[in-house]
Amino acid sequence: MERDEIFGFRPNIRTIRPPSSLCIRCRGRLMLCGRRTCPLLVRVLPLLDQVEKLSSLRSLEGSSPPGLFVGRIGYPRVLMGPLAVGDRGDVGFMDSPEDWYGLNYRQIAELRVRLVRGIKPLDVKSARDPPEYLLRIHDMLLSRRSSSLELEFSRPPRATVLLVDEAPPFGPSGPIESMRALPGSSDRSAEKVYYDHDMRSEKAVIYLYERGFRISEIQRMFGAGMLGVKKDRKLVPTRWSITAIDDMISRSLIDEIKGYPTISEYRVYVESHLGNKFVIVLAPFRWSFEWMEAWYPGTTWNVSGSRPEVIGDHEGYGGRTTYAEEIGGCYYAARLAIAEALRAERRQAAVIAFREIYEDALFPVGVWLVRESLRRTMNVRPSMFDDARTAFDHAFKILKLPRDLWLSNSHLARALMGQRVLS
Amino acid sequence: MSFRAISPTPEAWKALADALAELVEEAAFEITPEGLTLRAMDPSRVAMVNLSWNNLSFEEYACESSMTIAVRVDDLKKVMKRADRKDRIEVTLGQGNTIIFRFKDGYEREFSIPLVEVGETHRPLPKLAFNAQAKIVQKALRKIFEDIDTVSDHVTIKAQEGLLEFLGRSEIGQVQARLVDSSPDLLELAVKEPSEATYSLEYLVDFVKAVKPAEITVLEFSSRMPVKLTFPIDEHGSYIEFYLAPRVE
């Protein structure tokens, strides 16, 4: 167990997020965070009814999207297994955040809590020489279609709703006694990287990405320890694998865009989605990236605050060498969406992005929300400007948080506004 | 097309590759009987490198007719990483659009990298008049920029009669470095009028670190105008120049 999970703080970081795993473990029963009411439980309470129904099951006959859950608790011996629902047919969308844009919080949660997490303890290194159980999961993930799946539980699934920052909500979990799967036909590209025991995982990830695999598909294969040099393969907890994939792919895209000319004007992209507002400023300079978030009082990680809390991370042209501690997974999901758009345009730019999270952002649904929102935003024609001043004036008109608060927290904005060019 | 240039050490090539790597993806050399030149501007148009490497600087230099060739800077950097301090370097053009680097110290190694299509060349240099000029020991300048980099991503340079100051300030703290007339690291200081300007350290730190073989640096600037750093490569008049646009609050 990590220190922050016990004590409810991370050193050197403004603690506005109770570590979500603490909340999850406590689920409002123990009030480990010291609050009088649990911010998460209050919001998810109505869903628990639905989850209760699933918790009387001893077995489940249905399908897997395919989906995968790899837990973090107990690392390196983790609980992992397939996601399953009692429906037959194509249920792929249930574990494909790429299809969820437009759903509201309730719809997302309802969709997700119907999926039961089958779990079984496995050592992460078992991916090097997969036991039968893991091999059958691999078979399901080699297919890009839903698999028929039958699970027997050793005890009925526990009624839980697991909410974390990075991953989509997860529903009840039940320990697997036995599993029978009928996977769809394997995909050839997936097979190529899976059976290539010498291909480094980063290369395999990019290979799949460039062949049109979705982030969620790549992340599942990576999480199940199906990619990389055979002797290094490992199961990767879902929360980590999501960020790892966003990081790997965006780094590769950034390497590429650094070879392209800069955009020739200032641009401002705006998007509002599920209680979030995103304002992205692109400036005609070489690649750099800053992501800032303002959590308004009443939001998940600033429940009892009286004023918005601002956090941020950034990188220069040379990239990062450390994890984006303040923002976490969202930083990488956002960087991926923006780098993707620049790559499509064969341009580079300096990026300053602002995100405001208001009270109607009910609970964390995963970093896909940021990735998919930005993917759409970056496809819409932006407002264009000749100079930094008018571009930022426009951005701050749309944002709610006062300009000075944003600027005093930004590392790149002021620098960009003042940077002259050689004539 | 024939070209051959031999340097007794790889220092200048290494410095050039490292300096360019911070700025551009591709670099175009103009090769003439008089020597090698190169101009490259970063995509942001914030910084520019100007190389003048004349034929006297080489142990042997042969070029029959002028030409322009371009390489990927990454390729150049990878090759130069393999060079040892004592290697002699021979550069020639190879078959099938390649450039060949031969390292000789004991055994001989030969690296061949592809030439790429030449992009823009003959970029004019910024026309600038400078109000302050200082000749500084390059190692000291490097340390000053690195000192300031600990608290700030930009440096403010101030020059007045007898005093050259470097300042960095942020919410983390403040760093100040002073060179006065009597400082052994300040070899010359000429100030036409007091000047003050601010520059991005992201560019300066990397660049000054890359050209560490240079022993001295000539720093020239004016208020709110670009800075120019000149790094002599040797005593034969060859140099690398670096221009950087200012930051204005």
Side-chain angles (χ1 to χ4, degrees):
Chain A
M1 200 181 303
E2 292 165 22
R3 185 185 159 85
D4 62 326
E5 293 176 19
I6 308 167
F7 295 107
F9 70 90
R10 284 180 289 182
N12 304 326
I13 298 163
R14 268 166 291 170
T15 309
I16 60 161
R17 308 170 181 215
S20 37
S21 54
L22 170 68
C23 288
I24 301 320
R25 185 135 358 87
C26 163
R27 275 183 297 125
R29 285 169 306 162
L30 307 169
M31 295 299 153
L32 295 176
C33 60
R35 301 182 201 289
R36 278 181 302 167
T37 49
C38 168
L40 291 183
L41 198 62
V42 168
R43 289 166 183 177
V44 193
L45 216 47
L47 294 168
L48 285 173
D49 282 349
Q50 270 198 332
V51 179
E52 294 295 352
K53 283 182 218 145
L54 292 168
S55 61
S56 56
L57 299 172
R58 283 313 289 253
S59 64
L60 189 146
E61 273 184 43
S63 322
S64 182
L68 174 78
F69 170 80
V70 182
R72 187 173 72 145
I73 310 294
Y75 194 91
R77 192 167 169 80
V78 296
L79 293 170
M80 68 86 69
L83 304 181
V85 62
D87 302 347
R88 294 284 188 191
D90 180 7
V91 293
F93 68 98
M94 294 184 81
D95 201 39
S96 301
E98 290 86 353
D99 294 330
W100 299 345
Y101 186 87
L103 300 183
N104 63 30
Y105 279 96
R106 181 162 194 90
Q107 290 167 323
I108 293 163
E110 281 174 353
L111 174 75
R112 291 293 293 180
V113 296
R114 291 182 57 225
L115 280 170
V116 177
R117 278 179 289 152
I119 49 172
K120 199 170 190 167
L122 272 189
D123 191 290
V124 294
K125 287 183 184 166
S126 59
R128 291 168 200 182
D129 185 17
E132 188 58 29
Y133 170 71
L134 186 55
L135 278 176
R136 273 176 293 159
I137 291 174
H138 285 177
D139 281 342
M140 282 193 273
L141 297 178
L142 280 174
S143 172
R144 302 180 72 183
R145 304 218 180 117
S146 299
S147 303
S148 287
L149 184 66
E150 288 172 28
L151 298 178
E152 303 262 350
F153 301 112
S154 54
R155 56 174 171 73
R158 248 192 10 201
T160 44
V161 176
L162 182 61
L163 298 176
V164 295
D165 267 356
E166 296 86 353
F170 286 109
S173 65
I176 291 182
E177 175 85 39
S178 70
M179 174 170 92
R180 271 221 306 276
L182 191 67
S185 55
S186 297
D187 177 271
R188 288 181 71 161
S189 300
E191 281 184 325
K192 171 162 168 45
V193 291
Y194 179 57
Y195 292 112
D196 189 333
H197 294 166
D198 302 312
M199 189 191 268
R200 288 189 312 112
S201 58
E202 243 166 300
K203 209 174 156 200
V205 166
I206 304 302
Y207 180 91
L208 293 172
Y209 175 77
E210 297 297 352
R211 273 156 194 78
F213 275 66
R214 293 172 151 200
I215 303 297
S216 58
E217 293 177 301
I218 303 171
Q219 173 259 320
R220 281 193 294 263
M221 289 184 71
F222 182 77
M226 298 168 71
L227 308 178
V229 176
K230 181 84 171 173
K231 68 171 176 48
D232 297 329
R233 288 190 184 182
K234 262 186 207 168
L235 302 174
V236 184
T238 303
R239 302 180 64 175
W240 303 347
S241 61
I242 291 173
T243 297
I245 297 303
D246 280 333
D247 182 29
M248 278 184 215
I249 297 176
S250 55
R251 263 191 283 129
S252 152
L253 295 172
I254 292 164
D255 269 353
E256 181 178 337
I257 64 176
K258 281 180 178 175
Y260 298 139
T262 63
I263 58 172
S264 38
E265 65 286 305
Y266 286 81
R267 303 177 184 178
V268 178
Y269 296 82
V270 180
E271 160 90 352
S272 289
H273 189 211
L274 291 183
N276 286 261
K277 187 177 279 171
F278 302 99
V279 175
I280 317 292
V281 180
L282 299 192
F285 290 103
R286 65 182 187 169
W287 170 261
S288 59
F289 180 77
E290 180 164 47
W291 183 258
M292 284 178 287
E293 297 183 345
W295 290 78
Y296 273 75
T299 49
T300 314
W301 309 128
N302 190 12
V303 174
S304 49
S306 56
R307 57 189 169 78
E309 288 281 356
V310 182
I311 50 175
D313 279 304
H314 68 282
E315 65 186 61
Y317 188 70
R320 298 189 66 87
T321 51
T322 56
Y323 183 65
E325 281 283 355
E326 290 225 354
I327 298 287
C330 270
Y331 180 92
Y332 300 95
R335 194 177 72 176
L336 170 68
I338 294 169
E340 217 171 38
L342 285 167
R343 200 267 287 255
E345 202 187 333
R346 301 172 69 84
R347 287 285 181 277
Q348 63 175 317
V351 182
I352 300 188
F354 307 89
R355 177 188 182 200
E356 291 180 342
I357 305 105
Y358 310 123
E359 207 175 351
D360 43 342
L362 289 182
F363 45 80
V365 290
V367 297
W368 66 269
L369 173 68
V370 170
R371 193 191 307 117
E372 296 308 318
S373 298
L374 294 188
R375 278 175 158 177
R376 274 162 184 81
T377 315
M378 299 301 293
N379 270 324
V380 177
R381 215 181 133 72
S383 308
M384 310 244 212
F385 303 90
D386 290 334
D387 60 274
R389 192 145 301 275
T390 48
F392 279 99
D393 282 350
H394 181 72
F396 288 122
K397 240 183 269 164
I398 294 161
L399 290 159
K400 206 162 122 184
L401 196 76
R403 179 192 186 102
D404 291 351
L405 256 174
W406 277 125
L407 287 182
S408 64
N409 279 283
S410 169
H411 281 82
L412 296 186
R414 272 171 305 169
L416 273 188
M417 283 193 246
Q419 182 63 59
R420 298 288 175 263
V421 296
L422 295 170
S423 47
Chain B
M1 263 202 339
S2 102
F3 163 67
R4 186 158 169 267
I6 298 178
S7 313
T9 72
E11 272 188 338
W13 279 108
K14 270 177 178 285
L16 183 67
D18 287 347
L20 288 171
E22 303 306 327
L23 287 190
V24 288
E25 302 286 313
E26 288 171 8
F29 292 89
E30 294 195 36
I31 302 176
T32 66
E34 289 75 43
L36 290 177
T37 59
L38 170 151
R39 278 180 201 174
M41 189 181 256
D42 93 298
S44 301
R45 297 191 297 135
V46 168
M48 188 172 177
V49 177
N50 180 41
L51 165 79
S52 173
W53 201 353
N54 69 48
N55 54 19
L56 295 175
S57 297
F58 295 90
E59 201 174 274
E60 268 184 66
Y61 187 93
C63 168
E64 280 167 13
S65 55
S66 300
M67 65 189 107
T68 306
I69 60 156
V71 293
R72 268 190 295 271
V73 174
D74 252 7
D75 292 346
L76 184 64
K77 195 174 166 177
K78 271 183 199 151
V79 170
M80 289 310 151
K81 255 197 170 144
R82 300 305 310 150
D84 294 327
R85 246 166 4 111
K86 281 190 271 171
D87 280 338
R88 287 171 81 233
I89 293 199
E90 182 191 64
V91 186
T92 54
L93 294 178
Q95 297 288 318
N97 247 353
T98 56
I99 183 166
I100 294 171
F101 296 89
R102 247 178 234 110
F103 299 161
K104 296 179 193 174
D105 175 36
Y107 70 98
E108 185 176 307
R109 289 162 293 155
E110 182 177 305
F111 293 82
S112 156
I113 59 177
L115 297 178
V116 295
E117 208 177 303
V118 178
E120 199 179 344
T121 55
H122 297 293
R123 195 183 280 281
L125 291 175
K127 285 198 180 68
L128 299 164
F130 298 107
N131 288 327
Q133 190 198 60
K135 199 185 268 188
I136 306 167
V137 171
Q138 125 87 9
K139 196 176 161 194
L141 186 67
R142 199 171 89 220
K143 280 167 73 177
I144 288 172
F145 287 154
E146 285 170 2
D147 286 341
I148 292 171
D149 196 37
T150 59
V151 299
S152 177
D153 62 357
H154 51 278
V155 56
T156 299
I157 308 178
K158 286 187 190 177
Q160 63 184 63
E161 197 66 46
L163 175 65
L164 186 64
E165 266 188 302
F166 300 84
L167 302 161
R169 189 180 295 142
S170 72
E171 62 273 24
I172 309 172
Q174 191 175 320
V175 177
Q176 215 170 28
R178 270 199 199 90
L179 292 175
V180 292
D181 264 348
S182 56
S183 309
D185 292 324
L186 182 63
L187 307 173
E188 276 175 41
L189 177 65
V191 181
K192 274 192 222 152
E193 60 182 72
S195 304
E196 175 175 341
T198 300
Y199 305 99
S200 160
L201 277 173
E202 192 185 10
Y203 288 92
L204 282 175
V205 167
D206 289 341
F207 200 87
V208 174
K209 195 190 273 175
V211 292
K212 59 175 171 261
E215 279 170 17
I216 58 157
T217 301
V218 180
L219 179 151
E220 294 167 282
F221 76 109
S222 304
S223 291
R224 298 162 70 89
M225 296 296 286
V227 63
K228 175 182 165 190
L229 300 174
T230 308
F231 306 91
I233 294 175
D234 54 33
E235 63 280 13
H236 301 294
S238 297
Y239 56 83
I240 300 177
E241 280 174 353
F242 180 64
Y243 294 82
L244 180 63
R247 261 195 206 176
V248 180
E249 282 301 317

